[in-house]
Amino acid sequence: MSEPVAALALRDIRRTFHQGDRTLEVLRGAELELQPGEIVALVGPSGAGKSTLLHIAGLLEKPDGGDVLLDGRPAAGLSDAERTALRGRYLGFVYQYHHLLPEFSALENVMLPQMLVGTGRAVARSRAHELLTMVGLAERESHRPARLSGGEQQRVAIARAVANAPRVLLADEPTGNLDHATSDTVFRQLLALTRGAGLAALIATHNPELAGRMDRIVRLEDGVIVPG
C-alpha cells in the first residue's frame, strides 16, 4: 500500500534577510509534513520566523532554498500566475487581524473569494450563508465589519478562509487579539470547521492551552522545526 501524499510538505526551507551589513538566517532547512485532516500547532518565540514560514507555506513569499509541495506538487517551478491560482483554490488563510473589507457585509466578505475564482453569485451566497450559520452568525450576515465585535469579525474571517473548500488552512495567531473567553469560542469554531471539512491546518499560536488542543505541536527553533 502506497504512503498517503501529504497535503502540505515543506522541504529544506531556507530564508535569509539582509539588513545593512547584517545577515539574518531565519529559516535554516525547515521541514514539515501535514497529512489531510491533521491540525498542527506551530509554536516558538517571537521573532523565530513563524510568520515567514507561514507566508512561504502559503506561496505568498518565495524561499531562498527548498520547496513547498501541495498534494505532492512542487511549487518552486511555478510562475507567479500559477502560484496565485493555486493559492486561491488550495489554501485558506486566517490572520491575527481579520482583514475584512469594511464596505461589504459579512455575507459579501465570504462571497467575494468564491466569486474571484469563478463561482456564480447564487452559489457563493448560499455557501457563505451556510458557513456563517456554522460559526453562529446567520443573524449578523447583513452587518458590515464595523458593527461586529472582534470575535464576530474573526469568525467571519474563518468562514471566508474556508469558503473555497481549500485543502490546507494556514492561521497566524488567529485569536491573538481576543480576550480569553472570546478566544476560546473562536478557536472551538475554527477547530470544528477545520475538522468538519477534513482540512490540514497549520496554526501558529503563543497560547499553550490552544496548542494542546491540536493533534500535535511543532516548534520553530533556530531556523528548523522540531517536535513540540
Side-chain angles (χ1 to χ4, degrees):
M1 193 177 214
S2 61
E3 288 286 319
V5 176
L8 170 69
L10 305 179
R11 298 277 188 255
D12 194 28
I13 299 295
R14 299 175 181 274
R15 187 73 173 97
T16 300
F17 293 96
H18 301 282
Q19 300 173 332
D21 295 334
R22 294 181 58 219
T23 297
L24 182 62
E25 287 184 280
V26 175
L27 300 173
R28 310 171 184 233
E31 303 228 349
L32 180 67
E33 285 194 0
L34 265 68
Q35 299 303 323
E38 184 181 30
I39 301 175
V40 176
L42 175 65
V43 302
S46 295
K50 298 188 297 298
S51 294
T52 298
L53 185 77
L54 287 171
H55 286 166
I56 289 172
L59 308 184
L60 293 166
E61 187 176 328
K62 291 184 178 181
D64 296 318
D67 204 354
V68 178
L69 283 74
L70 299 172
D71 260 353
R73 181 187 181 189
L78 300 179
S79 68
D80 287 344
E82 288 171 325
R83 289 165 66 89
T84 298
L86 188 58
R87 190 165 58 240
R89 291 194 173 275
Y90 195 91
L91 298 159
F93 301 87
V94 183
Y95 300 100
Q96 184 170 348
Y97 184 70
H98 57 77
H99 295 298
L100 299 176
L101 297 173
E103 66 271 31
F104 294 106
S105 69
L107 186 76
E108 290 166 336
N109 266 281
V110 183
M111 290 172 62
L112 281 169
Q114 301 176 71
M115 295 173 69
L116 286 172
V117 297
T119 303
R121 188 175 186 85
V123 174
R125 175 179 290 274
S126 176
R127 168 78 171 157
H129 173 71
E130 176 189 6
L131 288 169
L132 289 171
T133 299
M134 290 172 70
V135 297
L137 291 177
E139 295 181 358
R140 309 281 280 165
E141 64 181 28
S142 65
H143 289 30
R144 292 185 179 181
R147 295 184 59 199
L148 302 174
S149 70
E152 288 171 338
Q153 291 169 346
Q154 198 63 329
R155 282 146 66 190
V156 175
I158 291 166
R160 179 185 59 185
V162 301
N164 284 336
R167 294 290 310 281
V168 177
L169 180 71
L170 301 169
D172 194 357
E173 297 287 349
T175 62
N177 282 333
L178 307 175
D179 63 66
H180 179 76
T182 306
S183 172
D184 183 71
T185 298
V186 169
F187 192 72
R188 275 192 289 106
Q189 291 179 330
L190 173 61
L191 285 186
L193 210 55
T194 303
R195 291 196 191 284
L199 304 183
L202 182 61
I203 302 175
T205 182
H206 280 108
N207 187 320
E209 190 271 329
L210 296 184
R213 290 156 65 180
M214 300 188 222
D215 297 326
R216 64 185 169 105
I217 301 172
V218 297
R219 174 176 291 277
L220 186 56
E221 196 172 274
D222 295 326
V224 298
I225 293 174
V226 297

